[in-house]
Amino acid sequence: MSHRERWIPVLASAAMLASAPVLANDKITLSFNERPPYLIADASGAATGLTGTPAAEAFKKAGIEVAWSKVPPNHQLVVIKEGGPHCAIGWYKTAEREQFAKFTKPIYRDKPTILLANPSFKGKDGDKLGDILGSKGVRVLIKEHFSYGPFIDSALEKYKPATTVSNGTSTQMLQLVGANSVDFMFVSEEEAQYLVEQSGLGAQSFKQLHMSDMPKGDYRYIMCSKQVSDDVIAKLNKAIAEKKIK
């Protein structure tokens, strides 16, 4: 047997192991990125918050052991795409993501998205999103690889405003708004006040704009790799179903 031939069974075995489904009794690595009030790490390293707490409760009720992992959002996507025993908390479900991931039932629904804007921005509370995005010279700050939900994503595609793309934290992004480098950024109503406080610039440095045509917020889900078995997803869904999401 040649040196190359001796390695064939080993490589085949490794490939089979990599593609094996993740079963209900396997430990799941559950990733999150701290983003108050959605995701906050407690003293043990577990996630709490608007999406962290219901996710933790779902795994506990389903009897699925987890290993908590704090991972930046972009890397969470990489890990999910690579497969294995991995899930991530609080993601929107999109057609693109469904190509490489599985989703549970929703664990939370956002309030309507608002704009956190520089005070010099001429947009007004109660305006329509299309009117704002279509206004001349508007400068929009968006997060890299981030979906803002179908309504906003499609509006950005339709009006194609000048955009600045950031891979920074929400607090870092707000600094750009405060510095008038951009006109506004999209945030959930839940986190707006927290971000303003964290910016250190004071409430007078920003204005919050509610769009008259903005729909109710989108659902957030637990997103898992394709290798996480349907049985695991079913157990999580059963646990999630016990708490109705409005």
Side-chain angles (χ1 to χ4, degrees), residues 40 82 187 196 217-218:
I40 307 163
E82 288 177 345
V187 300
V196 170
D218 291 297

Side-chain angles (χ1 to χ4, degrees), residues 118-136:
N118 186 280
S120 62
F121 180 57
K122 295 181 179 179
K124 301 185 298 298
D125 200 57
D127 283 348
K128 291 185 177 181
L129 180 61
D131 293 338
I132 284 184
L133 294 181
S135 60
K136 185 177 180 180

Side-chain angles (χ1 to χ4, degrees), residues 12 16 18 26-27 40 71-72 103 107 131 133 144 153 161 167-168 177 195 207-208 219 222-223 242-243:
M16 290 176 65
D26 292 333
K27 180 182 286 189
I40 307 163
V71 180
F103 290 82
I107 56 174
D131 293 338
L133 294 181
E144 184 181 30
D153 288 352
N167 62 2
V177 178
L195 290 176
K207 61 181 181 181
Q208 299 183 25
Y219 291 104
I222 299 170
M223 178 175 66
E242 296 177 10
K243 185 177 180 180

Side-chain angles (χ1 to χ4, degrees), residues 184-228:
F184 65 83
M185 61 185 281
F186 296 104
V187 300
S188 68
E189 190 171 345
E190 293 93 326
E191 68 179 336
Q193 189 58 42
Y194 170 83
L195 290 176
V196 170
E197 291 172 357
Q198 290 297 303
S199 73
L201 300 175
Q204 73 282 355
S205 298
F206 307 96
K207 61 181 181 181
Q208 299 183 25
L209 303 181
H210 300 75
M211 305 293 94
S212 61
D213 58 343
M214 190 70 72
K216 192 170 182 179
D218 291 297
Y219 291 104
R220 293 181 180 273
Y221 301 79
I222 299 170
M223 178 175 66
C224 300
S225 81
K226 286 284 191 179
Q227 283 179 242
V228 173

Side-chain angles (χ1 to χ4, degrees), residues 14-206:
M16 290 176 65
L17 182 62
S19 61
V22 179
L23 304 176
N25 57 348
D26 292 333
K27 180 182 286 189
I28 298 285
T29 298
L30 190 53
S31 300
F32 70 100
N33 180 61
E34 280 208 272
R35 184 188 174 188
Y38 292 105
L39 292 158
I40 307 163
D42 66 14
S44 71
T48 63
L50 296 177
T51 57
T53 296
E57 290 177 348
F59 276 91
K60 184 177 181 179
K61 289 179 181 178
I64 300 171
E65 188 178 1
V66 301
W68 292 98
S69 178
K70 290 176 67 174
V71 180
N74 287 347
H75 190 61
Q76 289 180 33
L77 288 173
V78 173
V79 170
I80 296 296
K81 288 179 180 179
E82 288 177 345
H86 298 288
C87 295
I89 300 174
W91 286 81
Y92 292 143
K93 181 166 62 173
T94 66
E96 178 186 358
R97 290 171 186 166
E98 286 185 289
Q99 293 179 13
F100 60 81
K102 293 180 179 180
F103 290 82
T104 63
K105 289 183 176 180
I107 56 174
Y108 183 78
R109 189 175 191 181
D110 289 345
K111 294 179 180 178
T113 298
I114 66 172
L115 311 184
L116 267 181
N118 186 280
S120 62
F121 180 57
K122 295 181 179 179
K124 301 185 298 298
D125 200 57
D127 283 348
K128 291 185 177 181
L129 180 61
D131 293 338
I132 284 184
L133 294 181
S135 60
K136 185 177 180 180
V138 67
R139 303 165 301 164
V140 185
L141 179 63
I142 60 175
K143 193 170 184 66
E144 184 181 30
H145 301 313
F146 193 81
S147 169
Y148 292 96
F151 182 75
I152 295 176
D153 288 352
S154 61
L156 288 169
E157 179 63 27
K158 178 180 179 180
Y159 293 99
K160 293 180 170 50
T163 57
T164 296
V165 180
S166 171
N167 62 2
T169 66
S170 295
T171 303
Q172 290 170 337
M173 290 172 67
L174 195 56
Q175 297 282 349
L176 296 177
V177 178
N180 200 23
S181 299
V182 294
D183 292 314
F184 65 83
M185 61 185 281
F186 296 104
V187 300
S188 68
E189 190 171 345
E190 293 93 326
E191 68 179 336
Q193 189 58 42
Y194 170 83
L195 290 176
V196 170
E197 291 172 357
Q198 290 297 303
S199 73
L201 300 175
Q204 73 282 355
S205 298
F206 307 96

